[in-house]
RNA sequence: GCCCGAAUGGUGGAAUUGGUAGACACGAGGGACUUAAAAUCCCUUGGCAGCAAUGCUGUACGGGUUCGAGUCCCGUUUCGGGCACCA
């Protein structure tokens, strides 16, 4: 009987669904294991072969763990809110929900063909009201919390108001946007609006007037991780800086915990490093500088306090509030012009050219150590969002300060012995300090750093600054608060209304606040976000319901928030919801949270390193503080699957013609910058144009198909080579619809079956690595399954037999290899092990039902349909999923004989055969053979015996 | 510029973590079966020399440690990834 994968796979697909084979419930009698994939955004293009890579890898792990006796949670869902559906809606008027549901249906159909062990009863969709209810709920909890710096934990906001009423801000240690100072009396005297504004300064979800990344093209603000190289990640549109009122999450409050947590989880070093970079902890000193001739001072942040004697100017960020205060009348006009110039530059312009620009403020600061006067400048190279927005410039030891000093002719004072600062600054934190102070300069309390190493000098300065109360030691983080509102339609609405200008939460019992219907998905004519188009979008406080906007009276009926939440809102805690997806009383029950705790294995792309994976950790830590999540970290082990790239094919069109020339007729030249290759035909340059890979076999183009494919090719001229063929050029690129290089998993399932697809994707290379999809190699995997099938087929037709020694040896070698490989996520090496094992069993004419059944269990994680089929043909009536993973036994694997050799100088050798067993007489013999060998090696001593089981034994010898 | 990571046949990639380099697969070549093709099976396949046994050489390049290095150390080159006026 042939391997009829289509029939087998269809049957088991149906069976598993009917039997709910993959349904899972919390079960205290079994250890749990939680496997999770990053849930997909269901795009209109459907799945390509790259998508399932991670799903297959994690599915293998989930199935393996289940066979090992774990209660495995392996859910799947959809990150359903997103920009493409909304943009499609704007173009076509089609409601995003309609397109999203259609896409989800398509995804589901594709996923179902690949044989995953997902528990679909637990599916979540971020756009479902019973799901986003809990996104809104978490937001409200953040709104009603602040972060206590002393206990490093979120606390109810009431604790803060109580404290304000008793003591004002005195003794408050809370994460905030801005340090405030007021007394209890002042607090009590504030209007509700004023109190609300003060509390916004502390809430974990707060409304803040901040510089945001505004993308005019998309009509919305973007988070820092959504801006790449100064343009929007999606679409690549320019992004500018704009001050706007926005909802924000105080992610920065958790900086230290986010950093510390990294040491407790098994993630790749590179992702951890990326997150450490993004958090950007830097330990330094904040120092106060007096302004000359005025009773004012300002504070700077530096990590190089030791360079205080080399400060020759100060620099303020143009956006800094200090600019207004420190600009003198004479300089005002010039400064204002400069600030205006800086505002006019986009983020991208600033990034691309680091122009040295700046202007003198007119003021001088006093060096607190020496009393020297230092001019205060303003320049865009100082960022307002980091530190205090002001720096002390030490041109000798900072390259940016150096460039500025050279440009504006400011003095450069070297402070490190032997540092040559005539051409560039000396930035390294090493060497011996000098000129600190320079000879003859008197300093505060006679302070001197001369002769110390830089590290000692930094420590000494910190100590001195603290003692003399010139400032304080301070830790700064680069991590910014996340901007949490978007000016879009297709996202979670905020459960917030504006009561006389004060943002107020819709009562928890009334959640979710459902996304309203709108007539138009575009922003309103007055520039309001799309929700401004909703007619029924006001909150009736008395009746606790959403009502028509026309009823707004500012007494009991108030306008609702028009912003929606960003993409990361719904994806930040979805892994918790999977634990208890139908609970409508809580995000998750105590029992579910206590049992499943956190994700043991998380699989997804590394592109989320600074987005989702930070927000999720933050969100989870917050819920952990609330006691909802039972684990400080959401994802214990993270595996980043690589991308599967596609081989794109190109036809070459001669410039300004409709003539396409076979690739082998072109002449290759390097471009002027010698980085890219260009191809010429008879001296004229050609442009490579994507051709659909379905029209190419090998590297030969189906010219007729090409003509029919798209109208522009129908009357094109194709110049063929001498064999009458049109050769395309090929290159590896990201798999994408627009590059016509997409391989659809459906086609592979159709032609080879899901089991072959699964096996092949794993065989292609390490899961973590990006690699191109190579169509040719899949035959090898398909052949393997056919061979394995015939092995079972033949054995089942023959009478059953006891396992032979060789059978057991092959089997146990395989058990060991596969078990170890799965644990290590090294599937690409276990596939060959299966191939070898099948070859051996075939040769042994294995007829043992027992051996074959065990083989089926081992194969089950990789090729579940196949395994299930043969498992049943072997006479089992329960699913192979409920079998038990076998243990290997070293006994069976012992080699019967090895070759013993002595090697010295690569010349002297002898050999003998003996069974491998440390206690066997033959092994003892081998030990004796060591002195025996000495007679071959006169004057040598054997220092070490290296035995490789089944291989060779080397005696390591040295002159005695 | 700074911080990671990588480099092994024609190709994807193995190598028990310091112990026979190139598993397994693809591709290529040869053969069997077949009228033929597909499918299947067998053999060869890093390079050089040789009929052969075998020998020499070989893991980006140059050094080093070691009885022994793809693996460890130092330097160089190239390619990926991340961060980037973060004081």
């Amino acid at each position: 009987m042939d391997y009829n994968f289509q029939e087998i796979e269809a049957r088991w697909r149906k069976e598993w669904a009917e039997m709910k084979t993959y349904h899972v419930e919390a079960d205290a009698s079994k250890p749990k294991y939680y496997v999770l994939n990053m849930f997909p955004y269901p795009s209109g293009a459907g799945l390509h072969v790259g998508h399932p890579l991670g799903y297959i890898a994690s599915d293998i792990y989930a199935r393996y763990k289940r066979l090992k006796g774990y209660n495995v949670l392996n859910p799947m869902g959809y990150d359903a809110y997103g920009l493409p559906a909304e943009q499609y809606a704007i173009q076509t008027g089609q409601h995003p929900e309609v397109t999203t549901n259609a896409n989800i249906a398509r995804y589901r159909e594709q996923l179902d063909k690949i044989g995953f062990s997902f528990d679909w009863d637990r599916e979540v969709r971020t756009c479902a009201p019973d799901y986003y209810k809990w996104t809104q709920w978490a937001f409200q909890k953040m709104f009603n919390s602040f972060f206590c710096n002393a206990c490093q934990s979120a606390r109810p906001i009431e604790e803060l108001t109580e404290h304000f009423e008793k003591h004002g801000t005195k003794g408050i240690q809370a994460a905030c946007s801005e340090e405030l100072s007021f007394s209890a009396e002042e607090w009590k005297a504030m209007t509700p609006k004023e109190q609300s504004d003060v509390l916004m300064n502390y809430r974990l979800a707060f409304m803040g007037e901040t510089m945001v990344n505004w993308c005019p093209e998309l009509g919305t603000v973007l988070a820092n991780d959504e801006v790449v190289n100064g343009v929007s990640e999606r679409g690549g549109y320019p992004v500018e800086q704009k001050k706007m009122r926005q909802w924000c999450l105080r992610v920065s409050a958790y900086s230290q915990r986010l950093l510390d947590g990294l040491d407790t989880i098994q993630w790749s070093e590179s992702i951890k490093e990326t997150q450490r970079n993004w958090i950007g902890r830097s330990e330094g000193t904040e120092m106060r500088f007096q302004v000359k001739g005025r009773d004012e001072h300002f504070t700077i942040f530096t990590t190089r306090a030791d360079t205080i004697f080399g400060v020759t100017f100060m620099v303020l960020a143009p956006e800094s509030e200090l600019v207004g205060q420190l600009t003198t009348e004479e300089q005002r006009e010039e400064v204002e012009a400069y600030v205006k110039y800086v505002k006019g530059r986009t983020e991208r312009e600033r990034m691309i050219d680091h122009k040295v620009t700046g202007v003198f403020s007119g003021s001088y600061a006093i060096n607190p150590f020496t009393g020297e006067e230092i001019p205060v400048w303003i320049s865009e190279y100082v960022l307002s969002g980091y530190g205090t927005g002001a720096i002390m410039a030490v041109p000798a030891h900072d390259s940016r300060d150096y460039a500025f000093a050279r440009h504006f002719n400011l003095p450069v004072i070297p402070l490190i012995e032997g540092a040559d600062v005539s051409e560039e600054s000396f930035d390294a934190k090493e060497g011996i300090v000098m000129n600190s102070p320079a000879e003859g300069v008197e300093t505060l309390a006679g302070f001197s750093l001369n002769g110390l190493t830089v590290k000692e000098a930094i420590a000494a300065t910190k100590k001195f600054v603290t003692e003399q109360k010139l400032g304080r030691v301070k830790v700064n983080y680069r991590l910014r608060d996340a901007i949490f509102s978007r000016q879009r339609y297709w996202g979670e609405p905020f459960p917030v209304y504006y009561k006389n200008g004060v943002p107020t939460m819709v009562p928890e019992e009334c959640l979710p606040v459902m996304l309203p219907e709108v007539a138009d998905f575009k922003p309103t004519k007055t520039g309001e976000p799309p929700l401004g188009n909703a007619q029924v979008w006001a909150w009736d406080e008395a009746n606790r319901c959403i009502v028509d906007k026309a009823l707004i009276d500012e007494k009991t009926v108030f306008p609702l928030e028009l912003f929606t939440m960003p993409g990361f809102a719904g994806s930040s805690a979805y892994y918790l919801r999977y634990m208890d997806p139908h609970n409508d009383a809580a995000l998750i029950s105590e029992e579910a949270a206590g049992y499943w705790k956190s994700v043991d294995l998380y699989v997804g792309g590394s592109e989320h390193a600074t987005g989702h994976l930070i927000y999720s950790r933050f969100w989870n830590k917050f819920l952990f503080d609330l006691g909802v999540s039972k684990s400080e970290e959401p994802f214990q082990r993270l595996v980043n699957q690589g991308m599967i790239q596609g081989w794109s094919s190109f036809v070459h069109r001669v410039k300004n013609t409709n003539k396409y020339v076979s690739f082998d007729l072109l002449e290759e030249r390097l471009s002027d910058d010698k980085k890219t290759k260009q191809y010429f035909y008879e001296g004229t340059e050609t442009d490579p144009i994507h051709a659909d890979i379905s029209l190419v076999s090998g590297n030969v183009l189906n010219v007729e198909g090409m003509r029919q494919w798209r109208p522009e090719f129908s009357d094109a001229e194709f110049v063929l080579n001498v064999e009458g063929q049109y050769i395309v050029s090929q290159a590896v690129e990201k798999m994408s619809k627009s590059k016509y290089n997409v391989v659809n998993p459906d086609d592979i399932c159709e032609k080879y079956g899901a089991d072959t697809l699964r096996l092949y994707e794993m065989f292609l290379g390490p899961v973590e690595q990006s690699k191109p999809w190579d169509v040719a190699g899949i035959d090898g995997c398909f052949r393997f399954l056919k061979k394995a099938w015939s092995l079972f087929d033949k054995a089942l037709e023959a009478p059953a037999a006891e396992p032979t020694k060789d059978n057991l040896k092959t089997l146990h070698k395989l058990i060991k290899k596969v078990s170890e490989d799965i644990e290590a996520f090294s599937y690409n090496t276990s596939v060959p092990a299966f191939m070898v094992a099948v070859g051996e069993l075939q040769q042994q004419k294995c007829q043992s039902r027992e051996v074959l059944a065990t083989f089926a269990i081992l194969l089950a994680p990789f090729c579940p349909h196949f395994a299930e089929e043969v498992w049943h043909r072997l006479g089992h009536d329960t699913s192979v999923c409920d079998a038990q993973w076998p243990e290997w036994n070293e006994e069976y694997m012992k080699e019967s004989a090895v070759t013993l050799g002595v090697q010295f100088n690569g010349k002297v050798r002898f050999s003998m055969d003996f069974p491998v067993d440390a206690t066997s007489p033959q092994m003892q013999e081998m030990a004796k053979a060591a002195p025996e060998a000495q007679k071959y090696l006169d004057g040598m001593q054997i220092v070490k015996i290296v035995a490789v089981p089944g291989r060779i034994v080397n005696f390591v010898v040295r002159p005695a």
Side-chain angles (χ1 to χ4, degrees), chain A residues 9 21 40 62 126 131 431 433 503 587 633-634 647 664 678 681 697 744 791 798 815 818 892 895 913 943:
Chain A
E9 291 182 1
T21 308
T126 53
Y131 179 87
V433 176
L587 170 58
E633 286 291 335
W647 276 102
D664 50 352
Q678 292 169 335
Y681 178 66
S697 66
N744 187 330
L791 170 73
I815 299 172
V818 172
Y892 297 121
E895 296 289 334
D913 284 351
V943 292

Side-chain angles (χ1 to χ4, degrees), chain A residues 507-722:
Chain A
E508 195 180 315
E509 315 82 77
C510 303
L511 297 182
V513 169
M514 305 264 276
L515 186 65
E517 290 305 318
V518 291
D520 190 349
F521 303 109
K522 285 202 286 283
T524 66
K525 292 199 176 62
T526 54
E528 283 180 332
L531 290 195
N533 293 319
Q535 191 53 42
V536 185
W537 197 238
W539 183 252
D540 183 334
E541 211 172 50
N543 298 309
R544 296 157 72 96
C545 61
I546 295 171
V547 295
D548 199 292
K549 272 202 297 206
L551 300 172
I552 292 175
D553 58 8
E554 297 292 343
K555 287 190 191 77
T556 59
V557 180
F558 305 97
L560 277 157
E561 177 62 272
L562 300 182
F563 295 149
T564 53
M565 297 188 193
F568 68 83
S571 60
S572 285
Y574 72 110
Y575 56 91
L576 289 174
R577 189 63 180 166
Y578 280 134
M579 297 174 186
D580 195 5
H582 308 298
N583 192 333
D584 49 15
L587 170 58
I588 34 171
S589 68
E590 270 292 305
E591 304 80 68
Y595 181 71
W596 297 110
K597 288 191 182 70
S598 63
V599 177
D600 296 289
L601 174 71
Y602 196 33
V603 179
S606 56
E607 67 273 21
H608 298 105
T610 55
H612 165 63
L613 289 171
I614 289 258
Y615 297 128
S616 240
R617 292 182 62 220
F618 157 78
W619 202 286
N620 180 75
K621 281 174 193 297
F622 170 72
L623 292 176
F624 177 75
D625 290 348
L626 251 52
V628 175
S629 169
K630 301 299 176 192
S631 173
E632 167 84 32
E633 286 291 335
F635 313 119
Q636 302 306 321
R637 181 175 172 196
L638 176 72
V639 172
N640 299 113
Q641 96 270 22
M643 249 193 303
I644 291 197
Q645 296 134 325
W647 276 102
S648 301
S649 290
F650 300 92
V651 291
H652 287 259
R653 182 177 63 195
V654 180
K655 254 197 183 352
N656 304 319
T657 66
N658 201 18
K659 187 173 177 178
Y660 298 83
V661 183
S662 180
F663 184 60
D664 50 352
L665 302 177
L666 301 177
E667 180 201 346
E668 182 181 310
R669 291 186 202 164
L670 281 177
S671 65
D672 296 340
D673 59 3
K674 304 209 166 157
K675 285 206 173 136
T676 50
K677 286 175 184 166
Q678 292 169 335
Y679 295 93
F680 288 76
Y681 178 66
E682 295 176 346
T684 314
E685 199 185 336
T686 61
D687 295 320
I689 296 179
H690 280 103
D692 195 304
I693 51 162
S694 65
L695 299 170
V696 176
S697 66
N699 58 357
V700 180
L701 179 77
N702 170 359
V703 175
E704 243 349 276
M706 190 73 180
R707 284 186 196 281
Q708 283 161 22
W709 177 44
R710 288 218 318 242
E712 66 260 43
F713 299 112
S714 60
D715 53 355
E717 181 190 345
F718 289 90
V719 180
L720 310 179
N721 66 10
V722 281

Side-chain angles (χ1 to χ4, degrees), chain A residues 24 102 159 537 905:
Chain A
V24 63
E159 286 185 13
W537 197 238
N905 288 345

Side-chain angles (χ1 to χ4, degrees), chain A residues 22 52 55-56 59 63 74 111-112 114-118 758:
Chain A
Y22 303 119
Y55 306 157
I56 295 169
D59 192 57
R63 287 172 178 275
N74 183 25
L111 287 171
D112 277 346
I114 307 175
F116 294 117
S117 63
F118 296 134
R758 292 170 62 104

Side-chain angles (χ1 to χ4, degrees), chain A residues 48-356:
Chain A
H48 63 62
V49 288
H51 292 111
L53 180 71
Y55 306 157
I56 295 169
S58 60
D59 192 57
I60 290 171
Y61 204 81
R63 287 172 178 275
Y64 165 75
K65 276 288 179 185
R66 175 166 172 179
L67 291 164
K68 288 283 268 185
Y70 287 85
N71 194 26
V72 177
L73 177 57
N74 183 25
M76 183 47 90
Y78 304 96
D79 187 12
Y81 278 131
L83 205 52
E86 174 155 342
Q87 284 184 328
Y88 189 73
I90 291 170
Q91 284 161 22
T92 62
Q94 178 98 281
H95 196 288
E97 191 168 358
V98 175
T99 26
T100 302
N101 285 341
N103 290 347
I104 285 176
R106 170 101 195 280
Y107 265 59
R108 177 65 191 274
E109 203 184 307
Q110 288 187 293
L111 287 171
D112 277 346
K113 284 187 191 155
I114 307 175
F116 294 117
S117 63
F118 296 134
D119 178 2
W120 284 107
D121 290 347
R122 290 175 183 263
E123 180 197 299
V124 301
R125 297 178 185 195
T126 53
C127 65
D130 65 347
Y131 179 87
Y132 68 68
K133 171 177 176 177
W134 301 104
T135 310
Q136 294 178 342
W137 173 83
F139 165 79
Q140 291 196 340
K141 288 286 174 198
M142 289 184 197
F143 180 82
N144 287 320
S145 302
F146 75 103
F147 191 81
C148 169
N149 281 334
C151 58
Q152 281 287 305
S153 168
R155 308 293 307 168
I157 199 83
E158 290 76 27
E159 286 185 13
L160 203 61
T161 45
E162 272 169 38
H163 188 106
F164 287 159
E165 272 177 37
K166 287 186 194 137
H167 317 289
T169 52
K170 202 163 175 239
I172 286 285
Q173 286 194 52
C176 56
S177 312
E178 198 184 333
E179 296 282 353
L180 298 178
S181 177
F182 52 79
S183 65
E185 286 65 38
E186 285 171 313
W187 168 256
K188 286 176 204 154
M190 289 180 197
T191 64
K193 171 86 173 84
E194 283 166 343
Q195 288 192 342
S196 159
D197 288 347
V198 166
L199 289 175
M200 278 300 182
N201 192 45
Y202 297 95
R203 295 180 191 276
L204 281 176
F206 63 101
M207 181 130 245
E209 178 102 13
T210 47
M211 277 296 186
V212 298
N213 305 303
W214 173 255
C215 179
E217 200 69 32
L218 296 173
T220 186
V221 300
L222 297 170
N224 284 337
D225 69 285
E226 292 171 316
V227 181
V228 178
N229 288 331
V231 298
S232 68
E233 189 188 21
R234 281 187 177 271
Y237 303 115
V239 171
E240 41 189 73
Q241 297 295 297
K242 199 171 167 183
K243 205 158 203 176
M244 283 177 80
R245 275 183 74 75
Q246 294 293 335
W247 286 104
C248 303
L249 300 185
R250 208 175 295 285
V251 180
S252 62
Y254 282 84
S255 295
Q256 191 59 49
R257 272 172 67 185
L258 287 168
L259 191 63
D260 292 342
L262 291 173
D263 296 330
T264 68
I265 47 184
Q266 295 174 59
W267 291 19
S268 74
E269 258 328 295
S270 69
I271 291 264
K272 287 197 204 178
E273 202 52 40
T274 303
Q275 292 214 343
R276 286 192 191 105
N277 265 330
W278 193 257
I279 297 166
R281 184 182 200 272
S282 84
E283 232 178 270
T285 315
E286 266 188 8
M287 273 192 271
R288 253 192 331 274
F289 280 72
Q290 190 75 32
V291 181
K292 182 197 161 197
R294 279 205 267 172
D295 193 21
E296 270 183 78
H297 53 77
F298 64 96
T299 306
I300 59 96
F301 175 77
T302 181
T303 54
R304 293 294 303 272
D306 60 306
T307 58
I308 182 73
F309 296 101
V311 178
T312 55
F313 57 102
M314 314 288 289
V315 189
L316 307 177
E319 300 87 359
S320 167
E321 288 166 15
L322 293 166
V323 170
Q325 295 166 34
L326 295 187
T327 303
T328 58
E329 276 314 312
E330 308 84 75
Q331 292 296 106
R332 190 159 301 276
E333 204 175 313
E334 209 180 320
V335 169
E336 277 170 6
Y338 180 70
V339 170
K340 200 174 159 207
Y341 152 80
V342 172
K343 266 195 187 149
R345 297 191 76 190
T346 66
E347 182 84 340
R348 188 169 174 76
E349 281 170 347
R350 273 221 215 183
M351 262 175 167
I352 285 172
D353 65 324
H354 293 174
K355 271 190 208 159
V356 182

